[in-house]
Amino acid sequence: MYFSKLYAPTLRETPAEAEVVSHQLLVRAGFIRKSSSGVYTYLPMAQRVLQKISRIVREEMDKAGGQEVALPIIQSADLWLESGRWHVYGKELFRLKDRHDRDFCLGPTHEEIITDLIRTDVSSYRQLPLLLYQIQNKYRDERRPRFGLMRGREFIMKDLYSFDKDEAGLEISYWKMHEAYTKIFTRCGLDFRPVEADSGAIGGSTTHEFMVMAESGEADIVYCPECNYAANVEIAPCKPDDNEQGTPLTLEMIETPQVTTAEMVAGFFDLPLKKIIKTMFYQVGEEIVAAIVRGDRSINEIKLQRLSAADIIELASPEKVKEITGAESGYVGPVGLVEKGIKVFADEEIKTMVNAVCGANKAQYHFRNVRPERDFQVTAYVDLRLIEPGESCPQCPSTLKSARGIEVGQVFKLGTKYSKALNAKYVDENGAENFIVMGCYGIGVSRTMAAAVEQNNDNEGIIWPVAIAPYHAVVIPVAVNDPVLKQAAEELYHELEQCGIETVIDDRNERAGVKFKDADLIGYPVRLTVGKKMLEEGLIEVKLRKDKVISFIKRNDIIEFIKDVLENS
RNA sequence: CGGGGCAUAGCGCAGCUUGGUAGCGCACCUGGUUUGGGACCAGGGGGUCGCAGGUUCGAAUCCUGUUGCCCCGACCA
């Protein structure tokens, strides 16, 4: 490709609205432009990257037995009413009406559509397992689109749905996909981890999220450096720490003016934070429940939520807290709550606390020498806290580290949720009807592109992994008005192209500095400069984007050299 | 959805407080000089100042409304 013809308008300045580095660089390097909030146009460079990612995804899906389909983006409300999600999906569903005033939506995901498809055409166990996938635009009217491609309202996603006759079959499909995902992200050249995660509103038991490791990621994860354990902090199980024991003393109420936070309480009583009991109230549907953890811990709301059937839990309003306890938050505690009919969920660590301190449910007072069970009742002891780095790995004796990740894929076991809702059954070997057992497996293709940039960049620009780079190499003739140099660059360019090395030749009548800057910004893995050394000694200057080293290779050896570099990257 | 901010040329911004008919840098076009890390000189094109009302002799500037966009939070495959 001749750069002079390439539609890749680069920008010297960073657009003001771009916050994260992937957004800034993709805009600056001429890959994307914003159309409206959370909606982007992909320019030729981005399109090439997306197609490379898609191609890798397709190859691995096909290898795993998947078959590609194309599903409607405009979906009738009827199916969504049938599955019940028309009302529960909420405002994130892009809804529209046709000229007859009938309801439709733009597909945010395709469980309804695909289940509808197979329920009419799949009727026998002989047709199972079946793996169908699609790579298409998805639509979600995000409350707050942000971070460029990372959280858009229109985005490209691969979804594969598996249909099995039973749980055992689903188990096989699930791990097949897990393996395929591992291959996909490995081939894309990304540093990633599959992590155990919360299955959220979609339901189902097991789920893994595939996280590209990057500081800018939205997900907090913990992982073990020794074994393969990794989990989203939302679900990472915690082992209770041993509490300091001692002779139980008598409960006392102490006046504690203006002492409200756990840190202040600890300071006031001259005790470590771990001797404090922290009490939080949550609104769970119509009910208010209390959750208690040690002062040095945080409550994991996901774990709390899993204890109830409610979809949403949120911190109770200060008014509610006062109404129930008679005190302001800061002076609340678990004593007497169960007697008032309030459920109290205590973290497992609470159980063995001795001579602890908690709010007295009376303004300006705390209790000290509190002991669970002697001084207050709990509804249940459960794992309720947020894990912290440095805690021990659940699988091995090592300690966990923390990291942040960008979720680029997830694998879910759906079970029979949708087949039951939409009545998708098959007849088994014994002639009995059963619901089809489903799984769904998504990869954010456009998000993967952004994640790749997020993980691979420096001050100068993007550093594309070879497998998904828009082009492999750029040839820079240092002066295009020197006919000999220009000719040499042209020949090199054509030879590279003929060898299947995707190349851009920067034939613009620009100073070399401009071309170098753009090459770094765009992030071609290999840069070939044709300059004085070519004319004088027959040497081509080679620089790899990912490192600083410049080497000179004989013109005759250059093709083999580049091939070698690309294959080993 | 709560809180905050912004909207002036393709991009980044100034002008607004104190109304007088729009400017800077980059980009773009023409000519010339340059040519290994975002060159220089000269000339040029491009904006109903987000939109709609209002105040005023006169509004980018003041007032009201409205739309879009961004950030923080809540929420989320």
Side-chain angles (χ1 to χ4, degrees), chain A residues 12-13 34 37 140 144 151 155 410 481 513 520 527 531 541:
Chain A
R12 190 182 296 205
E13 285 168 298
K34 186 173 74 182
S37 180
R140 289 190 196 165
R144 189 179 153 205
R151 183 165 295 281
F155 52 97
Q410 84 288 336
N481 51 7
D520 288 345
R527 187 184 86 192
E541 175 189 313

Tab-separated table of all heavy atoms in Angstrom, chain A residues 12-13 34 37 140 144 151 155 410 481 513 520 527 531 541, chain B residues 12-13 25 34-39 69-70 72 75-77:
chain	number	residue	atom	x	y	z
A	12	ARG	N	-1.474	15.144	14.968
A	12	ARG	CA	-0.349	15.453	15.830
A	12	ARG	C	-0.813	15.640	17.282
A	12	ARG	O	-0.134	15.275	18.212
A	12	ARG	CB	0.344	16.727	15.351
A	12	ARG	CG	1.646	16.970	16.061
A	12	ARG	CD	2.284	18.245	15.612
A	12	ARG	NE	2.640	18.193	14.203
A	12	ARG	CZ	3.608	18.944	13.674
A	12	ARG	NH1	4.306	19.749	14.437
A	12	ARG	NH2	3.861	18.894	12.393
A	13	GLU	N	-1.999	16.195	17.406
A	13	GLU	CA	-2.487	16.468	18.760
A	13	GLU	C	-3.496	15.416	19.224
A	13	GLU	O	-4.230	14.859	18.425
A	13	GLU	CB	-3.126	17.852	18.814
A	13	GLU	CG	-2.082	18.940	18.801
A	13	GLU	CD	-2.673	20.302	18.552
A	13	GLU	OE1	-3.258	20.513	17.475
A	13	GLU	OE2	-2.544	21.159	19.418
A	34	LYS	N	-14.871	9.075	16.036
A	34	LYS	CA	-16.147	8.961	16.731
A	34	LYS	C	-17.265	9.494	15.864
A	34	LYS	O	-17.118	10.517	15.205
A	34	LYS	CB	-16.113	9.724	18.046
A	34	LYS	CG	-17.380	9.480	18.844
A	34	LYS	CD	-17.321	10.073	20.205
A	34	LYS	CE	-17.476	11.576	20.096
A	34	LYS	NZ	-17.376	12.219	21.397
A	37	SER	N	-21.724	9.453	20.647
A	37	SER	CA	-21.242	8.891	21.903
A	37	SER	C	-21.292	7.360	21.878
A	37	SER	O	-22.343	6.768	21.689
A	37	SER	CB	-22.101	9.420	23.059
A	37	SER	OG	-21.646	8.881	24.268
A	140	ARG	N	-25.779	-1.913	22.836
A	140	ARG	CA	-26.215	-1.736	24.221
A	140	ARG	C	-26.214	-0.262	24.520
A	140	ARG	O	-25.212	0.420	24.307
A	140	ARG	CB	-25.281	-2.461	25.184
A	140	ARG	CG	-25.478	-3.937	25.038
A	140	ARG	CD	-24.799	-4.747	26.063
A	140	ARG	NE	-24.783	-6.108	25.538
A	140	ARG	CZ	-24.041	-7.092	25.992
A	140	ARG	NH1	-23.255	-6.869	27.010
A	140	ARG	NH2	-24.104	-8.275	25.458
A	144	ARG	N	-23.364	4.932	30.453
A	144	ARG	CA	-22.285	5.885	30.252
A	144	ARG	C	-21.200	5.271	29.382
A	144	ARG	O	-20.278	4.628	29.865
A	144	ARG	CB	-21.691	6.269	31.603
A	144	ARG	CG	-20.729	7.391	31.451
A	144	ARG	CD	-20.162	7.780	32.777
A	144	ARG	NE	-18.860	8.352	32.529
A	144	ARG	CZ	-17.895	8.366	33.406
A	144	ARG	NH1	-18.085	7.833	34.585
A	144	ARG	NH2	-16.765	8.903	33.096
A	151	ARG	N	-15.875	0.643	25.877
A	151	ARG	CA	-17.253	0.552	26.342
A	151	ARG	C	-18.145	1.381	25.445
A	151	ARG	O	-18.538	2.489	25.785
A	151	ARG	CB	-17.376	1.003	27.810
A	151	ARG	CG	-18.760	0.869	28.386
A	151	ARG	CD	-18.749	0.977	29.882
A	151	ARG	NE	-18.008	-0.131	30.455
A	151	ARG	CZ	-18.506	-1.362	30.604
A	151	ARG	NH1	-19.744	-1.617	30.279
A	151	ARG	NH2	-17.773	-2.321	31.108
A	155	PHE	N	-20.781	-2.249	19.110
A	155	PHE	CA	-19.478	-2.892	19.166
A	155	PHE	C	-19.551	-4.241	18.466
A	155	PHE	O	-20.633	-4.796	18.265
A	155	PHE	CB	-19.020	-3.073	20.618
A	155	PHE	CG	-20.030	-3.753	21.495
A	155	PHE	CD1	-19.945	-5.104	21.749
A	155	PHE	CD2	-21.071	-3.026	22.051
A	155	PHE	CE1	-20.891	-5.737	22.550
A	155	PHE	CE2	-22.016	-3.656	22.849
A	155	PHE	CZ	-21.926	-5.005	23.104
A	410	GLN	N	-15.829	-13.999	27.616
A	410	GLN	CA	-16.308	-14.767	28.759
A	410	GLN	C	-16.993	-16.008	28.256
A	410	GLN	O	-17.516	-16.050	27.148
A	410	GLN	CB	-17.218	-13.944	29.668
A	410	GLN	CG	-18.676	-13.868	29.264
A	410	GLN	CD	-18.892	-12.994	28.049
A	410	GLN	OE1	-18.100	-12.114	27.766
A	410	GLN	NE2	-19.955	-13.231	27.324
A	481	ASN	N	12.715	12.300	-3.538
A	481	ASN	CA	13.109	12.997	-4.753
A	481	ASN	C	14.473	12.536	-5.277
A	481	ASN	O	14.962	13.027	-6.281
A	481	ASN	CB	13.079	14.515	-4.553
A	481	ASN	CG	13.843	14.914	-3.302
A	481	ASN	OD1	14.479	14.075	-2.679
A	481	ASN	ND2	13.781	16.182	-2.956
A	513	GLY	N	11.629	12.726	9.209
A	513	GLY	CA	11.141	12.789	10.586
A	513	GLY	C	9.639	12.565	10.681
A	513	GLY	O	9.157	11.865	11.579
A	520	ASP	N	5.995	5.196	13.985
A	520	ASP	CA	5.948	4.833	15.407
A	520	ASP	C	4.527	4.922	15.940
A	520	ASP	O	4.080	4.087	16.720
A	520	ASP	CB	6.859	5.763	16.224
A	520	ASP	CG	8.336	5.470	15.993
A	520	ASP	OD1	8.648	4.398	15.441
A	520	ASP	OD2	9.172	6.312	16.361
A	527	ARG	N	10.119	-1.717	10.717
A	527	ARG	CA	10.351	-0.513	9.928
A	527	ARG	C	11.624	-0.697	9.119
A	527	ARG	O	12.680	-1.038	9.645
A	527	ARG	CB	10.509	0.681	10.860
A	527	ARG	CG	10.586	2.012	10.123
A	527	ARG	CD	10.850	3.139	11.090
A	527	ARG	NE	12.275	3.304	11.331
A	527	ARG	CZ	12.782	4.062	12.305
A	527	ARG	NH1	11.978	4.669	13.161
A	527	ARG	NH2	14.080	4.190	12.447
A	531	GLY	N	18.020	4.391	2.914
A	531	GLY	CA	18.724	5.673	2.952
A	531	GLY	C	20.126	5.574	2.369
A	531	GLY	O	20.391	4.739	1.506
A	541	GLU	N	18.208	-0.428	6.601
A	541	GLU	CA	18.120	-0.251	8.053
A	541	GLU	C	16.827	-0.891	8.551
A	541	GLU	O	15.752	-0.609	8.030
A	541	GLU	CB	18.120	1.242	8.378
A	541	GLU	CG	17.899	1.526	9.849
A	541	GLU	CD	17.690	2.999	10.120
A	541	GLU	OE1	18.474	3.815	9.596
A	541	GLU	OE2	16.729	3.335	10.824
B	12	G	P	-10.342	18.520	19.370
B	12	G	OP1	-10.668	17.522	20.408
B	12	G	OP2	-11.381	19.461	18.902
B	12	G	O5'	-9.089	19.373	19.848
B	12	G	C5'	-7.951	18.716	20.394
B	12	G	C4'	-6.909	19.739	20.768
B	12	G	O4'	-6.428	20.399	19.562
B	12	G	C3'	-7.408	20.889	21.620
B	12	G	O3'	-7.502	20.529	22.989
B	12	G	C2'	-6.344	21.942	21.370
B	12	G	O2'	-5.157	21.658	22.082
B	12	G	C1'	-6.084	21.739	19.867
B	12	G	N9	-6.927	22.633	19.075
B	12	G	C8	-8.148	22.370	18.491
B	12	G	N7	-8.652	23.391	17.847
B	12	G	C5	-7.702	24.390	18.004
B	12	G	C6	-7.697	25.730	17.526
B	12	G	O6	-8.536	26.312	16.849
B	12	G	N1	-6.541	26.405	17.924
B	12	G	C2	-5.534	25.857	18.686
B	12	G	N2	-4.515	26.659	18.968
B	12	G	N3	-5.532	24.618	19.135
B	12	G	C4	-6.637	23.941	18.761
B	13	C	P	-8.488	21.310	23.926
B	13	C	OP1	-7.983	21.133	25.297
B	13	C	OP2	-9.863	20.889	23.579
B	13	C	O5'	-8.306	22.812	23.452
B	13	C	C5'	-8.493	23.882	24.322
B	13	C	C4'	-7.648	25.046	23.876
B	13	C	O4'	-7.491	25.029	22.436
B	13	C	C3'	-8.249	26.418	24.145
B	13	C	O3'	-8.041	26.830	25.487
B	13	C	C2'	-7.479	27.287	23.169
B	13	C	O2'	-6.172	27.557	23.622
B	13	C	C1'	-7.388	26.362	21.948
B	13	C	N1	-8.483	26.592	20.989
B	13	C	C2	-8.472	27.786	20.240
B	13	C	O2	-7.552	28.595	20.417
B	13	C	N3	-9.460	28.025	19.359
B	13	C	C4	-10.428	27.134	19.193
B	13	C	N4	-11.392	27.415	18.306
B	13	C	C5	-10.483	25.919	19.934
B	13	C	C6	-9.489	25.699	20.811
B	25	G	P	-0.498	31.578	13.914
B	25	G	OP1	0.824	32.106	13.557
B	25	G	OP2	-1.565	31.486	12.898
B	25	G	O5'	-0.320	30.135	14.566
B	25	G	C5'	0.693	29.903	15.547
B	25	G	C4'	0.588	28.491	16.059
B	25	G	O4'	-0.666	28.333	16.773
B	25	G	C3'	0.521	27.419	14.980
B	25	G	O3'	1.790	27.070	14.472
B	25	G	C2'	-0.118	26.273	15.752
B	25	G	O2'	0.807	25.647	16.607
B	25	G	C1'	-1.160	27.015	16.588
B	25	G	N9	-2.441	27.098	15.880
B	25	G	C8	-2.958	28.139	15.156
B	25	G	N7	-4.131	27.884	14.636
B	25	G	C5	-4.405	26.595	15.045
B	25	G	C6	-5.531	25.768	14.790
B	25	G	O6	-6.546	26.030	14.132
B	25	G	N1	-5.398	24.518	15.376
B	25	G	C2	-4.322	24.115	16.130
B	25	G	N2	-4.368	22.876	16.617
B	25	G	N3	-3.259	24.874	16.379
B	25	G	C4	-3.372	26.091	15.810
B	34	U	P	17.504	24.481	-1.814
B	34	U	OP1	18.966	24.569	-1.718
B	34	U	OP2	16.885	23.618	-2.852
B	34	U	O5'	16.912	24.090	-0.391
B	34	U	C5'	17.518	23.122	0.372
B	34	U	C4'	16.815	22.979	1.691
B	34	U	O4'	15.415	23.343	1.589
B	34	U	C3'	16.766	21.540	2.177
B	34	U	O3'	17.978	21.208	2.826
B	34	U	C2'	15.578	21.533	3.110
B	34	U	O2'	15.895	22.045	4.367
B	34	U	C1'	14.620	22.491	2.392
B	34	U	N1	13.642	21.813	1.533
B	34	U	C2	12.660	21.020	2.137
B	34	U	O2	12.587	20.857	3.342
B	34	U	N3	11.785	20.431	1.262
B	34	U	C4	11.773	20.539	-0.102
B	34	U	O4	10.916	19.941	-0.749
B	34	U	C5	12.803	21.372	-0.655
B	34	U	C6	13.678	21.960	0.160
B	35	U	P	18.771	19.963	2.289
B	35	U	OP1	20.098	20.020	2.883
B	35	U	OP2	18.602	19.859	0.827
B	35	U	O5'	17.962	18.764	2.968
B	35	U	C5'	17.596	18.849	4.354
B	35	U	C4'	16.598	17.764	4.643
B	35	U	O4'	15.380	18.014	3.904
B	35	U	C3'	17.102	16.393	4.211
B	35	U	O3'	16.775	15.420	5.180
B	35	U	C2'	16.347	16.122	2.916
B	35	U	O2'	16.069	14.765	2.687
B	35	U	C1'	15.033	16.879	3.152
B	35	U	N1	14.434	17.285	1.870
B	35	U	C2	13.175	16.795	1.569
B	35	U	O2	12.530	16.092	2.331
B	35	U	N3	12.700	17.163	0.342
B	35	U	C4	13.338	17.945	-0.594
B	35	U	O4	12.773	18.180	-1.650
B	35	U	C5	14.633	18.415	-0.208
B	35	U	C6	15.137	18.074	0.985
B	36	G	P	17.933	14.720	6.049
B	36	G	OP1	18.296	15.605	7.184
B	36	G	OP2	19.007	14.183	5.183
B	36	G	O5'	17.062	13.490	6.595
B	36	G	C5'	15.974	13.726	7.488
B	36	G	C4'	16.170	12.853	8.710
B	36	G	O4'	16.268	11.492	8.277
B	36	G	C3'	17.452	13.166	9.478
B	36	G	O3'	17.259	12.946	10.859
B	36	G	C2'	18.420	12.117	8.968
B	36	G	O2'	19.418	11.763	9.879
B	36	G	C1'	17.470	10.937	8.750
B	36	G	N9	17.954	9.964	7.783
B	36	G	C8	18.372	10.176	6.497
B	36	G	N7	18.752	9.080	5.910
B	36	G	C5	18.579	8.093	6.866
B	36	G	C6	18.838	6.710	6.820
B	36	G	O6	19.271	6.059	5.881
B	36	G	N1	18.516	6.082	8.016
B	36	G	C2	18.014	6.722	9.118
B	36	G	N2	17.767	5.967	10.172
B	36	G	N3	17.770	8.017	9.183
B	36	G	C4	18.084	8.623	8.029
B	37	G	P	16.536	13.961	11.766
B	37	G	OP1	16.641	15.347	11.273
B	37	G	OP2	16.934	13.660	13.157
B	37	G	O5'	15.047	13.434	11.560
B	37	G	C5'	13.942	14.347	11.503
B	37	G	C4'	13.013	14.072	12.665
B	37	G	O4'	12.738	12.644	12.752
B	37	G	C3'	13.589	14.481	14.019
B	37	G	O3'	12.523	14.964	14.835
B	37	G	C2'	14.043	13.165	14.633
B	37	G	O2'	13.987	13.166	16.045
B	37	G	C1'	13.003	12.211	14.068
B	37	G	N9	13.417	10.824	14.005
B	37	G	C8	14.578	10.299	13.502
B	37	G	N7	14.614	8.998	13.594
B	37	G	C5	13.410	8.654	14.198
B	37	G	C6	12.883	7.392	14.553
B	37	G	O6	13.404	6.284	14.396
B	37	G	N1	11.640	7.492	15.138
B	37	G	C2	10.991	8.672	15.340
B	37	G	N2	9.798	8.569	15.912
B	37	G	N3	11.446	9.860	15.017
B	37	G	C4	12.658	9.767	14.452
B	38	G	P	12.110	16.519	14.497
B	38	G	OP1	13.172	17.367	13.936
B	38	G	OP2	11.435	16.883	15.739
B	38	G	O5'	11.078	16.281	13.331
B	38	G	C5'	9.871	15.627	13.609
B	38	G	C4'	8.807	16.121	12.670
B	38	G	O4'	7.632	15.322	12.860
B	38	G	C3'	8.399	17.578	12.911
B	38	G	O3'	7.946	18.056	11.653
B	38	G	C2'	7.176	17.403	13.825
B	38	G	O2'	6.261	18.480	13.655
B	38	G	C1'	6.556	16.145	13.285
B	38	G	N9	5.730	15.305	14.144
B	38	G	C8	5.715	15.099	15.490
B	38	G	N7	4.805	14.219	15.864
B	38	G	C5	4.179	13.848	14.673
B	38	G	C6	3.128	12.953	14.407
B	38	G	O6	2.504	12.250	15.196
B	38	G	N1	2.815	12.894	13.071
B	38	G	C2	3.442	13.621	12.091
B	38	G	N2	3.019	13.443	10.854
B	38	G	N3	4.445	14.457	12.301
B	38	G	C4	4.748	14.526	13.612
B	39	A	P	8.866	18.884	10.712
B	39	A	OP1	7.934	19.291	9.634
B	39	A	OP2	10.090	18.092	10.474
B	39	A	O5'	9.360	20.154	11.533
B	39	A	C5'	9.043	21.428	11.090
B	39	A	C4'	10.281	22.083	10.515
B	39	A	O4'	10.747	21.354	9.350
B	39	A	C3'	10.008	23.475	9.998
B	39	A	O3'	10.045	24.401	11.060
B	39	A	C2'	11.137	23.662	8.989
B	39	A	O2'	12.333	24.006	9.628
B	39	A	C1'	11.278	22.253	8.411
B	39	A	N9	10.549	22.075	7.151
B	39	A	C8	9.488	21.247	6.902
B	39	A	N7	9.067	21.282	5.666
B	39	A	C5	9.905	22.192	5.064
B	39	A	C6	9.987	22.682	3.742
B	39	A	N6	9.172	22.279	2.769
B	39	A	N1	10.933	23.591	3.462
B	39	A	C2	11.749	23.984	4.440
B	39	A	N3	11.779	23.600	5.720
B	39	A	C4	10.822	22.690	5.955
B	69	C	P	-24.073	12.526	22.216
B	69	C	OP1	-23.760	11.427	21.299
B	69	C	OP2	-24.972	12.316	23.371
B	69	C	O5'	-22.711	13.142	22.786
B	69	C	C5'	-21.597	13.313	21.927
B	69	C	C4'	-20.519	14.078	22.627
B	69	C	O4'	-21.027	15.365	23.069
B	69	C	C3'	-19.978	13.479	23.919
B	69	C	O3'	-19.076	12.418	23.689
B	69	C	C2'	-19.298	14.690	24.538
B	69	C	O2'	-18.081	14.983	23.883
B	69	C	C1'	-20.308	15.792	24.210
B	69	C	N1	-21.249	16.025	25.329
B	69	C	C2	-20.808	16.804	26.399
B	69	C	O2	-19.648	17.259	26.363
B	69	C	N3	-21.633	17.047	27.442
B	69	C	C4	-22.851	16.528	27.434
B	69	C	N4	-23.631	16.797	28.489
B	69	C	C5	-23.345	15.723	26.365
B	69	C	C6	-22.505	15.491	25.337
B	70	C	P	-18.878	11.316	24.817
B	70	C	OP1	-18.110	10.233	24.189
B	70	C	OP2	-20.157	11.030	25.484
B	70	C	O5'	-17.959	12.071	25.872
B	70	C	C5'	-16.634	12.442	25.534
B	70	C	C4'	-16.029	13.238	26.654
B	70	C	O4'	-16.825	14.434	26.883
B	70	C	C3'	-16.016	12.565	28.019
B	70	C	O3'	-14.961	11.640	28.153
B	70	C	C2'	-15.859	13.765	28.939
B	70	C	O2'	-14.531	14.249	28.914
B	70	C	C1'	-16.769	14.785	28.258
B	70	C	N1	-18.137	14.775	28.811
B	70	C	C2	-18.345	15.437	30.025
B	70	C	O2	-17.397	15.979	30.587
B	70	C	N3	-19.601	15.455	30.557
B	70	C	C4	-20.604	14.850	29.921
B	70	C	N4	-21.816	14.902	30.490
B	70	C	C5	-20.413	14.160	28.689
B	70	C	C6	-19.165	14.146	28.172
B	72	C	P	-13.715	9.312	34.552
B	72	C	OP1	-12.480	8.533	34.716
B	72	C	OP2	-14.829	8.767	33.743
B	72	C	O5'	-14.320	9.687	35.978
B	72	C	C5'	-13.552	10.397	36.942
B	72	C	C4'	-14.399	10.672	38.161
B	72	C	O4'	-15.357	11.718	37.859
B	72	C	C3'	-15.276	9.515	38.631
B	72	C	O3'	-14.578	8.554	39.385
B	72	C	C2'	-16.323	10.250	39.448
B	72	C	O2'	-15.817	10.644	40.702
B	72	C	C1'	-16.552	11.482	38.583
B	72	C	N1	-17.656	11.268	37.621
B	72	C	C2	-18.973	11.400	38.068
B	72	C	O2	-19.175	11.706	39.251
B	72	C	N3	-19.994	11.199	37.204
B	72	C	C4	-19.734	10.861	35.944
B	72	C	N4	-20.764	10.666	35.125
B	72	C	C5	-18.401	10.709	35.458
B	72	C	C6	-17.404	10.922	36.321
B	75	C	P	-23.231	-0.146	42.120
B	75	C	OP1	-23.920	-1.062	43.041
B	75	C	OP2	-21.767	-0.212	41.982
B	75	C	O5'	-23.864	-0.313	40.672
B	75	C	C5'	-25.249	-0.567	40.500
B	75	C	C4'	-25.580	-0.607	39.038
B	75	C	O4'	-25.058	0.608	38.422
B	75	C	C3'	-24.888	-1.714	38.247
B	75	C	O3'	-25.587	-2.951	38.335
B	75	C	C2'	-24.899	-1.142	36.838
B	75	C	O2'	-26.169	-1.258	36.249
B	75	C	C1'	-24.600	0.332	37.114
B	75	C	N1	-23.149	0.616	37.031
B	75	C	C2	-22.604	0.844	35.761
B	75	C	O2	-23.351	0.798	34.772
B	75	C	N3	-21.278	1.107	35.657
B	75	C	C4	-20.504	1.142	36.744
B	75	C	N4	-19.223	1.402	36.582
B	75	C	C5	-21.043	0.904	38.044
B	75	C	C6	-22.349	0.645	38.141
B	76	C	P	-24.741	-4.341	38.243
B	76	C	OP1	-25.704	-5.428	38.489
B	76	C	OP2	-23.513	-4.244	39.042
B	76	C	O5'	-24.326	-4.385	36.706
B	76	C	C5'	-25.307	-4.601	35.698
B	76	C	C4'	-24.707	-4.363	34.343
B	76	C	O4'	-24.020	-3.081	34.341
B	76	C	C3'	-23.607	-5.339	33.925
B	76	C	O3'	-24.146	-6.534	33.390
B	76	C	C2'	-22.859	-4.532	32.873
B	76	C	O2'	-23.564	-4.505	31.649
B	76	C	C1'	-22.888	-3.135	33.490
B	76	C	N1	-21.679	-2.860	34.290
B	76	C	C2	-20.478	-2.625	33.607
B	76	C	O2	-20.464	-2.670	32.368
B	76	C	N3	-19.356	-2.362	34.329
B	76	C	C4	-19.397	-2.333	35.651
B	76	C	N4	-18.276	-2.075	36.309
B	76	C	C5	-20.606	-2.577	36.370
B	76	C	C6	-21.711	-2.830	35.654
B	77	A	P	-23.238	-7.939	33.390
B	77	A	OP1	-24.156	-9.015	33.746
B	77	A	OP2	-22.021	-7.705	34.133
B	77	A	O5'	-22.831	-8.121	31.857
B	77	A	C5'	-23.753	-8.708	30.985
B	77	A	C4'	-22.974	-9.477	29.937
B	77	A	O4'	-22.724	-8.627	28.806
B	77	A	C3'	-21.620	-9.959	30.449
B	77	A	O3'	-21.566	-11.365	30.455
B	77	A	C2'	-20.577	-9.363	29.513
B	77	A	O2'	-19.750	-10.330	28.945
B	77	A	C1'	-21.406	-8.756	28.388
B	77	A	N9	-20.892	-7.421	28.050
B	77	A	C8	-20.853	-6.315	28.829
B	77	A	N7	-20.327	-5.269	28.239
B	77	A	C5	-19.990	-5.729	26.975
B	77	A	C6	-19.390	-5.114	25.870
B	77	A	N6	-19.022	-3.836	25.877
B	77	A	N1	-19.186	-5.860	24.762
B	77	A	C2	-19.569	-7.161	24.775
B	77	A	N3	-20.143	-7.848	25.759
B	77	A	C4	-20.329	-7.059	26.841
